[in-house]
């Protein structure tokens, strides 16, 4: 039994809107307490967005509520049921195996679902133990906040709390809980679940719920008209568009999700379920970040096609609501143009270019070929290109310097740099200083590379949580000059913006978390 905390505890929640869907969609149950909880790190930005009062995290009652040994006032916890396709195959019923939806938080900008991840067994835990380890919880926490700061749609994280309770993975580790929040945690897999079981009334109820709360435009006459009057086809088209934009942002920043199963695809187009993700070190479209993904299904360069495949699964699941199959196909079709358009726009922005012009695609392709051939560091390349833009653009014949040094084929880079400089001359108002400023605000100096997370995790496992906080605060300002040579931002001895150390290549991140 859980003690319910008094109403003045600074984590007031209310029964979730999701709960109103009814018992076919979830099982009500409370978290399983973890002993001796402690704070690992908290995000002030998240706390502010949730409208939590100052000092919210100095109340031990909140620590207990977020580690499962008490219930926050107003919470009405439940685990939801979903299914999904994993690694290209129907996996049957899945569900919140270790996440619990505590309730909704009425925040200044709206209602948000608050979940605990790692809060104990649920009816959907299958072979799992309902727990999450400290290592993976820190990764999810940091990456959620890092993605948000990069401007990439994502679920958010309020804090990580830890416990000495042992959790068995490849070795014995300790337990932790991530408190995460989002407008909704509904996944493609929720729709697949009800469709697969022929529960069409529930499928319609779920679709209506998501449309009413998150895609109300799908019921407007103008939008309906484009989709044969069918709001579910309009909804599929809207999800397709958001997903295309999300994927463009992932590809531009070099984010590899690692487990793009349909149960890990947000119906709101958010990045969700941070597991074996990785930000690229060397640019390599064939890069596989998930050690368990032996076939490379989720390799970096395949992500846009996988997202399209996943959208097809969603479309298939919605067919009982879209009797004319052609309407569903028409809703998915724009992905083929929306993704490349959004991607090219994002890459053009990284190149400091404004409106798209003919030839821009070739300019980009030529660059990506060089980056891949020489396995140039993705983040460092774009940042150095930004820093040296004025010199490179005004002296394209002699593009010496730190960005050129990243390449083995320097002639190849010189040729490309000349083409880039020529293209800049075709801008409406060529101005290399303004270009540089724009590029520095588009190309981050620091992303959550595996080795940075690993340093913070090693420290945290030794009971020193300060590095998690320092890394978080740097990641909250990804466009800041953390790479200032006079004063680089450091994590211990490591400059955050530096090349990965040799040992980074040996970090193995798998689905185990
Ligand atoms: P993932 O691929 O990590 O998103 O997980 C797939 C499914 O397995 C989801 O339904 C999770 O809730 C469940 N799951 C993963 N890890 C655990 C665990 N340690 N205990 C219970 N369920 C888990
Ligand atoms: Mg998942």
């Amino acid at each position: 039994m859980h003690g319910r905390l008094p109403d003045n505890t600074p984590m007031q929640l209310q029964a979730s809107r999701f709960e109103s869907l009814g018992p076919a969609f979830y099982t009500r149950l409370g978290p399983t307490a973890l002993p001796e909880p402690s704070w690992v790190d908290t995000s002030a930005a998240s706390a502010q967005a949730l409208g939590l009062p100052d000092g919210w995290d100095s109340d031990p009652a909140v620590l207990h509520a977020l580690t499962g040994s008490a219930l926050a006032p107003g919470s009405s916890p439940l685990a939801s049921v979903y299914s999904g396709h994993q690694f290209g195959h129907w996996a049957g019923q899945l569900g919140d195996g270790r996440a619990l939806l505590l309730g909704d938080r009425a925040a200044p900008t709206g209602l948000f679902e608050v979940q605990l991840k790692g809060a104990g067994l649920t009816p959907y835990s299958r072979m799992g133990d309902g727990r999450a380890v400290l290592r993976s919880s820190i990764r999810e926490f940091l990456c959620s906040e890092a993605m948000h700061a990069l401007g990439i749609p994502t679920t958010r994280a309020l804090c990580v709390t830890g416990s000495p309770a042992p959790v068995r993975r490849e070795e014995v580790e300790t337990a932790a809980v991530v408190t995460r929040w989002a407008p909704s945690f509904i996944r493609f897999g929720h729709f697949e679940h009800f469709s697969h079981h022929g529960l069409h009334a529930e499928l319609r109820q779920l679709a209506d719920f998501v449309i009413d709360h998150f895609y109300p435009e799908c019921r407007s006459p103008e939008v309906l008209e484009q989709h044969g009057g069918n709001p579910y086809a309009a909804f599929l088209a809207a999800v397709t568009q958001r997903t295309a934009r999300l994927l463009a942002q992932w590809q531009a920043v070099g984010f590899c999700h690692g487990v793009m199963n349909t149960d890990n695809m947000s119906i709101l187009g958010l990045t969700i379920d941070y597991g074996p993700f990785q930000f690229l070190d060397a640019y390599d479209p064939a890069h596989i970040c998930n050690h368990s993904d032996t076939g490379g299904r989720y390799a970096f360069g395949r992500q846009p096609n996988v997202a399209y495949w996943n959208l097809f699964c969603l479309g298939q699941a919605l067919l009982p609501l879209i009797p004319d199959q052609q309407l569903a196909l028409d809703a998915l079709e724009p992905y083929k143009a929306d993704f490349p358009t959004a991607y090219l726009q994002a890459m053009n922005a990284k190149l400091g270019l404004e409106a798209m012009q003919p030839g821009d695609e070739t300019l980009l392709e030529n660059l990506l070929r060089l980056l891949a051939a020489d396995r140039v560091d993705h983040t460092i390349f774009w940042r150095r290109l930004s820093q040296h833009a004025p010199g490179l653009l005004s002296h394209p014949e002699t593009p010496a310097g730190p960005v050129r040094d990243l390449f083995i084929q320097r002639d190849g880079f010189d040729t490309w740099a000349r083409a880039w400089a020529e293209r800049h001359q075709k801008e409406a108002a060529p101005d290399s200083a303004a270009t540089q400023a724009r590029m520095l605000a588009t190309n981050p100096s620091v992303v959550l590379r595996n080795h940075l997370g690993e340093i913070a995790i090693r420290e945290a496992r030794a009971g020193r949580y300060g590095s998690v906080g320092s890394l978080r605060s740097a990641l909250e300002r990804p466009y800041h000059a953390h790479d200032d040579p006079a004063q680089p931002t450091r994590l211990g001895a490591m400059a955050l913006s530096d090349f990965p150390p040799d040992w980074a290549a040996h970090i193995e991140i798998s689905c185990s978390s």
Side-chain angles (χ1 to χ4, degrees):
M1 279 303 284
H2 298 92
R4 189 172 284 276
L5 297 168
D7 276 355
N8 60 359
T9 310
M11 190 67 203
Q12 180 73 47
L13 300 175
Q14 62 193 55
S16 61
R17 289 174 292 182
F18 188 87
E19 185 176 342
S20 69
L21 283 166
F25 294 83
Y26 53 79
T27 302
R28 285 175 199 276
L29 84 165
T32 311
L34 280 169
E36 299 170 58
S38 60
W39 295 106
V40 174
D41 194 28
T42 58
S43 155
S46 269
Q48 195 182 26
L50 287 174
L52 294 173
D54 285 348
W56 69 277
D57 52 351
S58 49
D59 186 335
V62 176
L63 174 62
H64 282 93
L66 300 183
T67 321
S69 47
L71 279 183
S75 56
S76 183
L78 59 86
S80 78
V81 62
Y82 52 82
S83 295
H85 283 83
Q86 299 189 318
F87 291 91
H89 302 284
W90 177 246
Q93 181 183 303
L94 304 164
D96 293 327
R98 53 176 171 170
L100 281 185
L101 172 57
L102 290 184
D104 280 358
R105 168 84 188 163
T109 57
L111 285 175
F112 294 99
E113 293 186 354
V114 176
Q115 276 199 350
L116 298 185
K117 182 169 175 180
L121 287 171
T122 78
Y124 317 111
S125 300
R126 299 184 299 154
M127 306 302 281
D129 56 7
R131 293 301 183 194
V133 295
L134 181 62
R135 142 181 76 85
S136 61
S137 304
I138 290 174
R139 280 169 54 86
E140 170 145 8
F141 170 72
L142 288 176
C143 203
S144 307
E145 293 307 282
M147 291 293 259
H148 172 70
L150 286 163
I152 301 177
T154 178
T155 63
R156 300 286 303 275
L158 174 65
C159 60
V160 183
T161 48
S163 160
V167 176
R168 185 170 293 280
R169 293 292 179 263
E170 281 82 2
E171 52 183 317
V172 176
E173 305 185 39
T174 59
V177 174
V178 184
T179 301
R180 56 184 192 176
W181 59 281
S184 168
F185 285 92
I186 295 176
R187 302 136 192 275
F188 289 12
H190 281 97
F191 291 86
E192 291 178 277
H193 180 79
F194 294 99
S195 190
H196 180 83
H197 292 286
L199 297 169
H200 296 168
E202 287 80 359
L203 177 69
R204 182 181 300 270
Q205 200 194 340
L206 183 65
D208 285 338
F209 175 87
V210 175
I211 292 172
D212 289 345
H213 291 296
F214 307 108
Y215 292 95
E217 69 280 7
C218 292
R219 298 204 199 276
S220 79
E222 309 85 76
V223 174
L224 280 173
E225 197 189 307
Q226 293 163 34
H227 297 281
N230 185 302
Y232 310 107
F235 165 54
L236 180 60
V239 178
T240 300
Q241 187 178 61
R242 283 205 202 177
T243 305
R245 291 183 184 161
L246 177 70
L247 266 287
Q249 288 187 277
W250 284 4
Q251 299 308 111
V253 79
F255 176 78
C256 201
H257 181 282
V259 211
M260 286 179 69
N261 295 331
T262 56
D263 55 303
N264 290 337
M265 295 292 291
S266 152
I267 203 69
L268 302 185
L270 309 172
T271 314
I272 192 171
D273 276 12
Y274 293 90
F277 70 83
Q278 186 181 6
F279 285 85
L280 292 182
D281 290 321
Y283 178 76
D284 176 8
H287 182 73
I288 303 164
C289 64
N290 179 356
H291 198 63
S292 316
D293 182 12
T294 44
R297 179 177 173 86
Y298 299 138
F300 175 69
R302 288 196 176 154
Q303 297 190 121
N305 281 344
V306 170
Y308 190 50
W309 191 92
N310 289 344
L311 285 160
F312 255 84
C313 292
L314 178 65
Q316 183 86 34
L318 291 172
L319 279 184
L321 309 180
I322 311 175
D324 178 356
Q325 185 174 317
Q326 193 56 45
L327 286 178
L329 291 171
D330 291 348
L332 294 164
E333 184 66 16
Y335 187 88
K336 293 183 192 158
D338 287 352
F339 169 74
T341 304
Y343 175 66
L344 281 173
Q345 271 167 359
M347 297 310 281
N348 250 34
K350 287 174 85 70
L351 288 166
L353 297 168
E354 297 198 283
M356 296 286 302
Q357 291 186 16
D360 286 355
E361 202 168 343
T362 310
L363 183 72
L364 176 64
E365 277 166 13
N366 290 343
L367 172 63
L368 295 181
R369 203 172 308 115
L370 288 171
L371 291 173
D374 290 353
R375 296 184 55 81
V376 175
D377 188 278
H378 183 74
T379 306
I380 293 179
F381 167 76
W382 287 103
R383 192 70 182 179
R384 286 197 189 173
L385 190 71
S386 317
Q387 274 154 343
H388 301 288
L392 289 165
L393 293 172
S394 38
H395 308 289
E397 298 307 319
T398 53
V403 62
R404 185 178 190 252
D405 292 347
L406 294 169
F407 292 82
I408 302 164
Q409 307 170 60
R410 305 239 161 115
D411 294 350
F413 176 70
D414 294 349
T415 306
W416 180 84
R418 279 194 292 275
W420 181 54
E422 278 166 26
R423 168 63 182 80
H424 268 278
Q425 287 311 311
K426 294 190 211 147
E427 285 286 90
D431 173 343
S432 54
T435 300
Q436 181 185 44
R438 272 203 317 276
M439 288 176 73
L440 288 171
T442 307
N443 294 306
S445 67
V446 54
V447 291
L448 180 57
R449 298 193 196 231
N450 268 352
H451 71 276
L452 298 176
E454 193 65 23
I455 292 170
I457 288 164
R458 284 180 192 172
E459 288 278 304
R461 285 172 117 176
R464 296 184 295 269
Y465 299 140
S467 294
V468 178
S470 343
L471 186 50
R472 174 189 40 74
S473 64
L475 293 167
E476 284 170 352
R477 295 193 304 152
Y479 305 108
H480 172 80
H482 294 293
D483 50 353
D484 178 352
Q487 217 178 1
T489 309
R490 293 184 186 279
L491 185 65
M494 180 82 61
L496 294 182
S497 52
D498 222 340
F499 290 97
D502 289 343
W503 57 261
H506 306 294
I507 301 173
E508 285 179 1
I509 310 276
S510 69
C511 283
S512 145
S513 61

